[in-house]
């Protein structure tokens, strides 16, 4: 009887472990979920949720004014960024391209790049997670135009992805 009880216990433990590992998302799945949440927040104009998924300052190279770091990066307060972007985002070329073409992921370590507003405990070498959108393909706007991409940047803070900024190339 003990053997059967032990076998049932082991089988139950294995099944519970298998279910737990299936529920745990990969890092890319977590990034995908964070990006989808960001797009949802921007299209539905949910400022309260934006506060939860974004950093206090957003890196925005296309923003005219903001806190400029020694490396030339421009950061704007979260509320200001949201106010500017959320109103026009559903009509933007970025959003239209996202719906039409989808997006891709990449990541890189950016050395010695921790912004001053980040806690000193955060590593100076930041792992940046990028979500790329081909906003315009080559020759799409006009013949000879090289095309354009936008990247939504995220970093992990306390194990959760937080929106860091947006840039284009």
């Amino acid at each position: 009887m003990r053997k059967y009880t032990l076998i049932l216990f082991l089988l139950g433990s294995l099944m519970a472990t298998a279910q737990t590992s299936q529920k745990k998302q990969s890092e890319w799945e977590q990034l995908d979920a964070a990006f989808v949440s960001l797009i949802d927040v921007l299209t539905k104009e949910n400022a309260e949720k934006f506060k939860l998924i974004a950093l206090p300052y957003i890196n925005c190279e296309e923003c005219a004014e903001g806190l400029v770091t020694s490396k030339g990066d421009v950061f704007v307060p979260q509320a200001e960024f949201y106010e500017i972007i959320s109103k026009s985002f559903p009509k933007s070329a970025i959003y239209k391209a996202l719906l039409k073409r989808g997006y891709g992921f990449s990541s890189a370590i950016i050395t010695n790049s921790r912004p001053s507003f980040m806690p000193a405990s955060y590593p100076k070498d930041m792992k940046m997670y990028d979500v790329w959108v081909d906003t315009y393909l080559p020759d799409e706007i006009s013949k000879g135009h090289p095309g354009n991409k936008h990247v939504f940047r995220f970093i992990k803070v306390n194990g959760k992805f937080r929106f860091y900024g947006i840039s284009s190339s």
Side-chain angles (χ1 to χ4, degrees), residues 12 21 24 37 45 58 94 101-102 131-132 156 160 168-169:
S21 64
K24 189 174 181 179
S37 289
E45 297 185 38
I58 305 300
I94 301 169
R101 297 188 184 101
V131 181
W132 291 92
K156 267 192 166 180
K160 293 191 182 245
S168 64
S169 64

Side-chain angles (χ1 to χ4, degrees), residues 47 51 55 75 83 101 119 130 152 165:
K51 289 178 188 178
L55 294 173
F75 287 88
E83 188 65 32
R101 297 188 184 101
D130 294 341
F152 294 82

Side-chain angles (χ1 to χ4, degrees), residues 47-66:
E48 290 304 311
K49 191 168 182 187
F50 185 76
K51 289 178 188 178
L52 300 173
I53 63 174
L55 294 173
Y57 291 90
I58 305 300
N59 180 231
C60 179
E61 67 181 36
E62 296 173 5
C63 295
E65 295 179 15

Side-chain angles (χ1 to χ4, degrees), residues 81-116:
F81 177 88
Y82 181 80
E83 188 65 32
I84 293 167
I85 299 297
S86 67
K87 300 287 185 222
S88 60
F89 187 76
K91 297 174 188 163
S92 70
I94 301 169
Y95 184 65
K96 290 175 185 174
L98 176 64
L99 293 176
K100 183 178 180 181
R101 297 188 184 101
Y103 51 93
F105 300 127
S106 66
S107 68
I109 304 287
I110 311 297
T111 58
N112 201 21
S113 64
R114 180 185 66 228
S116 60

Side-chain angles (χ1 to χ4, degrees), residues 144-164:
H145 187 275
N148 180 263
K149 294 177 186 269
H150 279 85
V151 60
F152 294 82
R153 296 203 136 152
F154 292 82
I155 61 171
K156 267 192 166 180
V157 178
N158 298 325
K160 293 191 182 245
F161 281 104
R162 303 282 304 273
F163 178 56
Y164 178 86

